[in-house]
Amino acid sequence: FPVTIPRATALGFFCNAQVQIQGPFTITTTTSGDCIVANLGARVELLDQITFGACAADHMTASNMSTILIDNDYTVSGSAAIAHRLAQANSLISNQGGSITVTITADLAMTYWTLAGNMGQISMPSVTYSLGGHTVTGKRYEADNLSLIYSGGGGANYFPGDAAGSTSVGGQYA
């Protein structure tokens, strides 16, 4: 049965922690914080049956040489105030499960769908975004300060959103 986890940063992993997360559950934050944070060398693996609900900051954040690996399909049922995924400071968010589907079950609004900064990397090839008639407003991607976003050749409109993506200060999008 779904469980909602409402608090500041809902799930935070730090200092070389290595965890695997498996649902079924819906993860949300209400007043501040991210849904899932990997920081200071942490490695988080998202396995199955995870739903991202409304989040006061980012759905997923990897920072300071950390990694978030996505192994299976997942659902997004609520907006994030900033980004669906954010990788920064030599960190990585990556699709590890081959072809996956991200199912969107509500109209969403966020500043960015995918954001990489300060040498962060996001690698999300082979992802199908199933919008089911819903809309996503916000910028598709942003890569800045020597960061990289890899879509597997998906093109400029690969990620959901109603605004074009961009790169700056050595950021790359492929």
Side-chain angles (χ1 to χ4, degrees), residues 4-10 27-35 53-57 81:
T4 299
I5 305 169
R7 59 180 183 196
T9 294
I27 186 167
T28 67
T29 60
T30 54
T31 58
S32 66
D34 299 315
C35 284
C55 186

Side-chain angles (χ1 to χ4, degrees), residues 126-168:
S126 304
V127 178
T128 299
Y129 294 96
S130 176
L131 276 69
H134 298 287
T135 60
V136 177
T137 58
K139 200 170 189 177
R140 290 182 181 92
Y141 65 87
E142 168 115 6
D144 63 26
N145 295 321
L146 302 174
S147 59
L148 172 66
I149 298 174
Y150 178 64
S151 69
N157 297 321
Y158 178 68
F159 294 113
D162 67 345
S166 64
T167 62
S168 64

Side-chain angles (χ1 to χ4, degrees), residues 23-86:
F25 65 85
T26 298
I27 186 167
T28 67
T29 60
T30 54
T31 58
S32 66
D34 299 315
C35 284
I36 295 176
V37 172
N39 197 357
L40 300 170
R43 182 180 183 273
V44 176
E45 193 171 0
L46 305 180
L47 297 177
D48 196 15
Q49 298 182 43
I50 296 171
T51 299
F52 290 94
C55 186
D58 304 308
H59 284 136
M60 292 176 255
T61 297
S63 189
N64 297 307
M65 300 178 67
S66 298
T67 303
I68 296 176
L69 303 174
I70 302 167
D71 286 345
N72 281 297
D73 302 343
Y74 65 92
T75 301
V76 181
S77 66
S79 299
I82 301 170
H84 175 59
R85 24 180 119 84
L86 164 63

